[in-house]
Amino acid sequence: MKFSSKILEQAVVSLTTLPGIGKKTALRLALHLSQDHSKKAQQIAFALNQLATMIRKCSVCGNLSDEECCEICKSKHRQNNILCIVESSRDVMAIEETQQFNGKYHVLGGVISPLDGIGPEELNIQGLIQRIDNENIEEIIMAISPTIEGETTIYFISKLVKEKNIKISVIARGVSFGGDLEYTDELTLGRSIQSRLPYQVDN
Amino acid sequence: MKFSSKILEQAVVSLTTLPGIGKKTALRLALHLSQDHSKKAQQIAFALNQLATMIRKCSVCGNLSDEECCEICKSKHRQNNILCIVESSRDVMAIEETQQFNGKYHVLGGVISPLDGIGPEELNIQGLIQRIDNENIEEIIMAISPTIEGETTIYFISKLVKEKNIKISVIARGVSFGGDLEYTDELTLGRSIQSRLPYQVDN
């Protein structure tokens, strides 16, 4: 592509480094920002600079935070004895949206994936063990994606935690609400039959 | 959506102001940039700041440029007597890609669209008239989208230029190469029959 401006070209090149943004989209965005929207460009530049320099991981749980310790870890209205273990900050947001969990979180920062060179050392597992040893934790909930890597991670952590005499649970897997049995994959459907629950009829 | 970080929230809000970027995409981009990609975030921020402050419109043709006068207007290898009139810098790039035009450009900055409050005064039409008066221009090519607004703009400019004794042409409209007649809209197909060309057989 021939650019009439080096500055425009650099903006396009830098935007294409983003996931899911191709050359055409990057060009569209850069042209949008260069023509009559320079204030918007400056606002985004400022926000991204803040993101790059100011944001950090909570020293307790590993969630993204503006301060040393995140809002959730600081909160006095949350149960201290139950930990929800997740892969990323995105998952914390997803679970918070459900309003079904009032304990605290522990963000691993990924899952064990030898093919990508991610072993247990690369994850925030040591921090988890320390929290279990030092805090008064009674249950950990594994809210990790049911993939091969996710299952491996769950197994690894469970083995480490096994002798510490705490309850370990995994979030329920099965057919989605509103989902169609016909289109559910065999593995999910098979598991959902295996782990069927008693149906309670109100009197 | 509940954000664990105000900085993250601001980044998401600012990214959603971009065209075609919704809340979920903005969140994905912001999380990508906040976790382990802070250098990339800074690079993009720098590029966008440059875009906002350094880029300008060429004083001759109105194309985006790093300097007072753009590369194309400065070029000595291009014909000075033929002007291609386009809506935006994006169109200049598209035509340059084809390598079929070796004249100079004039970027209007839009088309006449009363519904959007864009009249002839909002466009770079005065500059065009001045160029026609002062430069030795023999032909103008209207490379403007064949929409109602585009046609209006072409008509308006043609009326202004009519008495200046220069050739006015419009880029050919018709069925796309590789296009299927069956799926071509009636208007395009009808016009392409009206403006049919003699077929030349080589000897």
Side-chain angles (χ1 to χ4, degrees), chain B residues 70-117:
Chain B
C70 78
E71 295 288 323
I72 295 174
C73 286
K74 271 194 289 190
S75 171
K76 284 176 182 164
H77 303 292
R78 285 176 163 265
Q79 289 174 267
N80 282 316
N81 56 352
I82 181 163
L83 271 192
C84 183
I85 300 174
V86 294
E87 285 174 52
S88 68
S89 299
R90 179 72 188 85
D91 298 336
V92 174
M93 291 173 71
I95 294 172
E96 284 295 284
E97 286 282 288
T98 70
Q99 302 189 335
Q100 295 296 319
F101 180 68
N102 196 35
K104 304 215 163 169
Y105 291 93
H106 192 83
V107 181
L108 295 177
V111 282
I112 296 170
S113 173
L115 284 178
D116 301 317

Side-chain angles (χ1 to χ4, degrees), chain A residues 4-6 17 40 64 66, chain B residues 4-6 17 40 64 66:
Chain A
S4 60
S5 150
K6 283 260 169 225
T17 61
K40 203 193 270 186
L64 288 177
D66 294 351
Chain B
S4 61
S5 149
K6 282 262 169 225
T17 62
K40 202 192 275 186
L64 287 177
D66 294 351

Side-chain angles (χ1 to χ4, degrees), chain A residues 96-151:
Chain A
E96 284 295 285
E97 285 282 288
T98 69
Q99 303 189 335
Q100 294 296 320
F101 179 69
N102 197 35
K104 304 214 165 171
Y105 291 93
H106 192 82
V107 181
L108 294 177
V111 282
I112 296 170
S113 174
L115 284 178
D116 301 317
I118 302 173
E121 304 78 29
E122 272 74 40
L123 303 177
N124 188 12
I125 292 177
Q126 205 52 46
L128 173 65
I129 303 300
Q130 281 173 12
R131 285 182 81 179
I132 292 173
D133 287 341
N134 301 331
E135 297 174 27
N136 188 26
I137 287 158
E138 291 169 13
E139 180 177 353
I140 57 173
I141 302 176
M142 305 282 196
I144 295 175
S145 307
T147 56
I148 293 174
E149 291 83 6
E151 296 286 353

Side-chain angles (χ1 to χ4, degrees), chain B residues 146 171-177 181 184-185 187-189 191-193 195:
Chain B
I171 53 166
R173 289 90 181 265
V175 182
S176 302
F177 279 91
L181 283 204
T184 307
D185 66 290
L187 193 65
T188 304
L189 196 55
R191 288 271 186 94
S192 77
I193 291 172
S195 43

Side-chain angles (χ1 to χ4, degrees), chain B residues 10 32 36 39 45 57 60 68 81 92 111-112 141 156 161 187:
Chain B
Q10 271 162 10
H32 173 81
D36 318 319
K39 256 200 182 159
K57 286 181 178 167
V60 181
E68 176 71 18
N81 56 352
V92 174
V111 282
I112 296 170
I141 302 175
F156 183 85
V161 174
L187 193 65

Side-chain angles (χ1 to χ4, degrees), chain A residues 1-2 4-7 17 19 27 31-32 34 38 40 45 52-55 63-64 66 90 93 97, chain B residues 1-2 4-7 17 19 27 31-32 34 38 40 42 45 52 54-55 63-64 66 90 93 97:
Chain A
M1 215 173 272
K2 287 181 183 177
S4 60
S5 150
K6 283 260 169 225
I7 293 170
T17 61
L27 177 61
L31 282 172
H32 173 81
S34 65
S38 60
K40 203 193 270 186
T53 54
M54 304 281 282
I55 213 166
N63 192 12
L64 288 177
D66 294 351
R90 179 74 188 83
M93 290 172 73
E97 285 282 288
Chain B
M1 214 173 273
K2 285 182 183 176
S4 61
S5 149
K6 282 262 169 225
I7 293 170
T17 62
L27 178 60
L31 282 172
H32 173 81
S34 65
S38 60
K40 202 192 275 186
Q42 280 174 313
M54 305 280 282
I55 214 165
N63 192 12
L64 287 177
D66 294 351
R90 179 72 188 85
M93 291 173 71
E97 286 282 288

